[in-house]
């Protein structure tokens, strides 16, 4: 029992600081609160090393992946001076065999409270609620950020919190989860006009319903899902790299993806395709202010954006690790978790939060342990 309590408390402490800080820095409070140096956050994450006193076995996949992540992180730092990739890599590595439910509960508790509090403060006028006007078809829509730097940041927080919360309640309350999912999707679409995240919440709701009533029974289509990260990252790179205004196919696809192919192509033309990131990369986008942006060049797609911050090699490495981790989840027959991992890879074709602990906590569970609820209860009793 001492082992379980110590490990869980350590995980809770570290994730509270890392996810809490990452979440709050996406709010309008980020200009008034002091910045925590990344090196200090790395020191906090390194506390998780003490968990390894209780871990006796390490898989070959984990050892090789960890070595490669550390090496690439060091090279990225030497090339760009950035330490974010090292921070994220260490968090992924040091959550090895952590209890996924503990990780998700901590994330939902910490980030959920921050998101709800900032939302309420924005309604009360204590925190600014930035509103952006945007033309959709023939109508003008107002997009609310609800205390966050941009509407899609708030909407993405809602999406990731919903799937984490829904997974924690995976064996019960399907009616409540369905109502919450439908209501949340409507709210995000109505008040934030964040269409992708609204659709993502609806897709997650459907996944919860299917998995609940089929009891996660195996279907052949599930065998494709472990490869989603590879498929969709490669697709986004291909259509961005070969984008051209002379092709109606690419133009229509670019319009569907809200100019993301053009912006990705533009960044590739400017910065090239660095193997380990490039220093001086500067993306200018909306957020934090409602003032007009005259030189907008922000690359939203996670897979394309990471090419410039971290480089081709780290992105390919992360994708391959994600694929192999997903295959392991499939082998364990944890199809609900696999479906959520797969849904995230689709969402990240458009959004920029694939490896951000304040958003996508699931990325940091790829080396963690998935327990059956019944087996978990028995395990805790025995200890």
């Amino acid at each position: 029992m001492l082992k379980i309590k110590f490990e869980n408390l350590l995980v809770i402490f570290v994730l509270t600081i890392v996810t809490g800080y990452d979440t709050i820095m996406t709010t309008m409070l980020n200009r008034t609160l002091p910045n925590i140096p990344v090196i200090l956050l790395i020191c906090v994450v390194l506390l998780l090393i003490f968990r390894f006193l209780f871990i006796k076995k390490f898989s070959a996949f984990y050892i090789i992946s960890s070595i490669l992540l550390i090496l690439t992180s060091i090279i990225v730092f030497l090339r760009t001076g950035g330490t974010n990739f090292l921070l994220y890599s260490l968090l992924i590595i040091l959550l090895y065999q952590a209890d996924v439910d503990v990780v998700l509960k901590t994330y939902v508790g910490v980030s959920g409270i921050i998101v709800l509090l900032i939302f309420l403060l924005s309604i009360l006028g204590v925190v600014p609620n930035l509103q952006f006007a945007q033309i959709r078809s023939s109508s003008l829509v107002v997009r609310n950020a609800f205390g966050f730097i941009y509407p899609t940041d708030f909407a993405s927080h809602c999406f990731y919190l919903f799937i984490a919360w829904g997974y924690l309640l995976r064996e019960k309350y399907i009616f409540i989860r369905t109502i919450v999912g439908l209501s949340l999707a409507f709210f995000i679409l109505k008040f934030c006009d964040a269409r992708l995240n609204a659709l993502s919440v609806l897709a997650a709701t459907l996944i919860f319903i299917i998995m609940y009533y089929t009891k996660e029974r195996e279907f052949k289509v599930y065998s494709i899902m472990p490869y989603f990260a590879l498929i969709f990252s490669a697709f986004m790179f291909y259509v961005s790299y070969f984008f051209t205004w002379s092709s109606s196919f690419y133009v229509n696809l670019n319009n569907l993806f809200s100019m993301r192919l053009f912006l990705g192509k533009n960044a590739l033309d400017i910065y090239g395709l660095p193997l380990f990131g490039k220093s001086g990369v500067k993306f200018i986008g909306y957020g934090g202010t409602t003032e007009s942006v005259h030189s907008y060049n922000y690359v939203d797609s996670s897979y394309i954006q990471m090419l410039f911050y971290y480089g081709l090699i780290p992105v390919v490495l992360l994708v391959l690790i994600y694929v192999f981790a997903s295959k392991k989840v499939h082998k364990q027959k944890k199809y609900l978790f696999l479906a959520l991992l797969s849904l995230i890879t689709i969402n990240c074709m458009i959004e920029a939060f694939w490896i951000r602990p304040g958003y996508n906590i699931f990325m940091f569970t790829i080396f963690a342990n998935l327990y059956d609820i019944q087996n978990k209860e028995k395990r805790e009793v025995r200890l």
Side-chain angles (χ1 to χ4, degrees):
M1 183 66 75
L2 178 61
K3 168 192 169 182
I4 298 299
K5 285 183 178 179
F6 175 75
E7 283 196 69
N8 289 351
L9 286 174
L10 202 53
V11 169
I12 291 168
F13 173 75
V14 170
L15 288 180
T16 296
I17 295 175
V18 175
T19 61
Y21 177 74
D22 194 34
T23 301
I24 205 164
M25 293 310 288
T26 64
T27 74
M28 291 301 293
L29 297 178
N30 65 357
R31 295 183 178 182
T32 57
L33 295 175
N35 288 321
I36 299 177
V38 177
I39 189 65
L40 183 57
L41 292 174
I42 289 175
C43 290
V44 172
V45 171
L46 287 174
L47 292 175
L48 291 171
I49 289 177
F50 290 107
R51 295 181 53 254
F52 287 68
L53 295 172
F54 304 109
I55 300 174
K56 305 300 181 184
K57 295 182 179 179
F58 299 90
S59 68
F61 167 60
Y62 171 75
I63 294 172
I64 295 171
S65 299
S66 299
I67 293 172
L68 292 176
L69 281 172
I70 294 297
L71 288 176
T72 53
S73 298
I74 293 172
I75 298 173
V76 169
F77 169 70
L78 294 175
R79 291 288 181 88
T80 69
T83 51
N84 281 337
F85 190 69
L86 177 60
L87 170 65
Y88 301 148
S89 296
L90 286 172
L91 190 57
I92 291 172
I93 293 168
L94 297 179
L95 283 175
Y96 178 67
Q97 289 194 4
D99 188 332
V100 165
D101 282 13
V102 172
V103 174
L104 296 184
K105 285 177 182 177
T106 305
Y107 162 73
V108 171
V110 175
S111 292
I113 289 173
I114 293 173
V115 171
L116 181 59
L117 180 61
I118 296 298
F119 170 77
L120 293 175
L121 290 176
S122 74
I123 297 298
L124 295 173
V126 178
V127 176
N129 173 25
L130 300 184
Q131 294 182 311
F132 299 82
Q134 190 160 349
I135 297 176
R136 297 291 191 195
S137 299
S138 59
S139 62
L140 182 70
V141 298
V142 177
R143 311 180 71 190
N144 295 274
F146 294 116
F148 288 80
I149 58 176
Y150 198 66
T152 50
D153 285 82
F154 171 74
S156 291
H157 281 302
C158 291
F159 164 60
Y160 285 110
L161 283 168
F162 173 69
I163 61 175
W165 171 79
Y167 178 79
L168 289 170
L169 298 177
R170 55 193 175 275
E171 295 192 357
K172 52 188 175 182
Y173 305 135
I174 187 60
F175 178 75
I176 294 176
R177 284 187 286 154
T178 302
I179 295 300
V180 170
L182 294 176
S183 301
L184 183 60
F186 173 79
F187 181 88
I188 290 173
L189 188 60
K190 174 69 175 176
F191 295 102
C192 304
D193 192 47
R195 296 165 295 174
L196 174 67
N197 284 301
L199 286 173
S200 297
V201 170
L202 286 177
T205 303
L206 182 60
I207 288 171
F208 288 138
I209 293 172
I210 292 172
M211 294 298 177
Y212 180 82
Y213 285 108
T214 63
K215 306 297 183 184
E216 295 194 51
R217 189 167 70 251
E218 182 176 7
F219 293 98
K220 288 185 178 180
V221 68
Y222 294 164
S223 62
I224 303 174
M225 291 194 293
Y227 302 98
F228 272 24
L230 179 60
I231 293 169
F232 292 115
S233 62
F235 173 78
M236 279 304 295
F237 175 75
Y238 181 87
V239 295
S240 297
Y241 188 84
F242 291 103
F243 170 77
T244 173
W245 290 109
S246 62
S247 167
S248 59
F249 167 76
Y250 281 110
V251 171
N252 291 330
L253 191 62
N254 183 55
N255 291 334
L256 178 65
F257 286 179
S258 302
M259 296 295 289
R260 282 171 171 82
L261 303 191
F262 163 72
L263 293 168
K265 175 65 172 178
N266 181 61
L268 285 165
D269 289 341
I270 294 173
Y271 298 114
L273 188 58
L275 294 180
F276 292 97
K278 193 175 184 68
S279 60
V281 173
K282 186 177 182 181
F283 292 130
I284 302 172
Y286 300 113
T289 177
T290 55
E291 295 179 3
S292 298
V293 176
H294 300 292
S295 54
Y296 185 96
N297 69 343
Y298 191 80
V299 177
D300 289 277
S301 171
S302 292
Y303 309 121
I304 306 303
Q305 185 188 100
M306 289 168 59
L307 290 175
F308 308 108
Y309 286 143
Y310 310 133
L312 177 63
I313 301 300
V315 172
V316 171
L317 176 60
L318 275 179
V319 168
L320 292 178
I321 291 174
Y322 199 91
V323 167
F324 281 107
S326 297
K327 285 172 64 68
K328 180 182 177 182
V329 173
H330 178 266
K331 186 176 181 181
Q332 293 174 325
K333 301 185 184 299
K334 306 297 183 182
Y335 300 121
L336 172 57
F337 199 81
L338 175 63
L340 296 178
L341 290 177
S342 303
L343 175 61
I344 289 168
T345 65
I346 300 174
N347 181 277
C348 288
M349 292 172 63
I350 308 298
E351 299 292 357
F353 309 121
W354 195 40
I355 187 168
R356 286 286 299 277
Y359 293 92
N360 180 21
I361 194 63
F362 286 84
M363 168 60 82
F364 301 91
T365 65
I366 56 179
F367 289 134
N369 267 334
L370 291 167
Y371 295 114
D372 291 321
I373 289 179
Q374 296 87 347
N375 292 341
K376 184 178 177 181
E377 290 173 350
K378 292 177 181 177
R379 179 173 176 270
E380 288 176 347
V381 168
R382 283 200 304 270
L383 289 171

